[in-house]
Amino acid sequence: MLNFLACVGAQSIYQFSESVTNNRDKFEEDLQNIFENVRDAAYHIINRKGATYYEIAMGVVRLTEAILNNESSILTVSCLIKGHYGTEDVYIGVPAILDREGVSDIIDLDLNEKVKNNF
């Protein structure tokens, strides 16, 4: 079983699914398919367009805007983790506040135990 940190309204995706479906196996299968599609998205883009550099360039533009405009935007960037999620000295993509100083703070996600252990 995969664990996603996603919300529909104010409910976790798991709470939401329990309120709208009684087929937990189908829900887990759908989540697995979503995970695989997101994970493999770059490969699909390369197969169709031959490259992903446009998307990379747009990401760099967005990060640059946040820094130059001192936006204090929450963006997912690779940061050095110093004690977050029980981990030290690892660079990993996490949501962080990005402003003129670079990463001014890392946003801690409320991860369940299974996700923390898999991390």
Side-chain angles (χ1 to χ4, degrees):
M1 177 174 92
L2 294 171
N3 286 295
F4 291 88
L5 184 63
C7 293
V8 177
Q11 294 181 318
S12 77
I13 195 164
Y14 288 101
Q15 291 169 323
F16 178 76
S17 74
E18 290 170 1
S19 68
V20 297
T21 184
N22 56 6
N23 189 342
R24 184 68 174 199
D25 291 336
K26 175 72 169 116
F27 176 72
E28 292 293 335
E29 182 182 323
D30 289 344
L31 283 182
Q32 181 66 34
N33 288 335
I34 291 168
F35 169 77
E36 290 171 5
N37 284 329
V38 170
R39 180 195 63 201
D40 299 339
Y43 303 109
H44 296 298
I45 293 168
I46 291 169
N47 285 335
R48 290 184 183 118
K49 291 175 46 177
T52 61
Y53 46 81
Y54 297 113
E55 291 78 10
I56 295 168
M58 290 306 296
V60 171
V61 166
R62 179 66 192 106
L63 295 173
T64 303
E65 287 175 341
I67 293 168
L68 293 178
N69 296 328
N70 199 31
E71 294 179 1
S72 295
S73 295
I74 298 174
L75 300 168
T76 301
V77 293
S78 183
C79 300
L80 176 61
I81 302 299
K82 297 179 181 176
H84 295 271
Y85 314 112
T87 302
E88 294 282 339
D89 299 326
V90 173
Y91 283 88
I92 192 162
V94 292
I97 298 173
L98 196 63
D99 58 25
R100 187 168 288 135
E101 302 300 317
V103 173
S104 62
D105 199 10
I106 294 174
I107 307 297
D108 286 316
L109 301 173
D110 185 20
L111 305 177
N112 66 36
E113 284 304 312
K114 183 171 182 173
V115 172
K116 286 179 188 176
N117 291 336
N118 287 337
F119 182 79

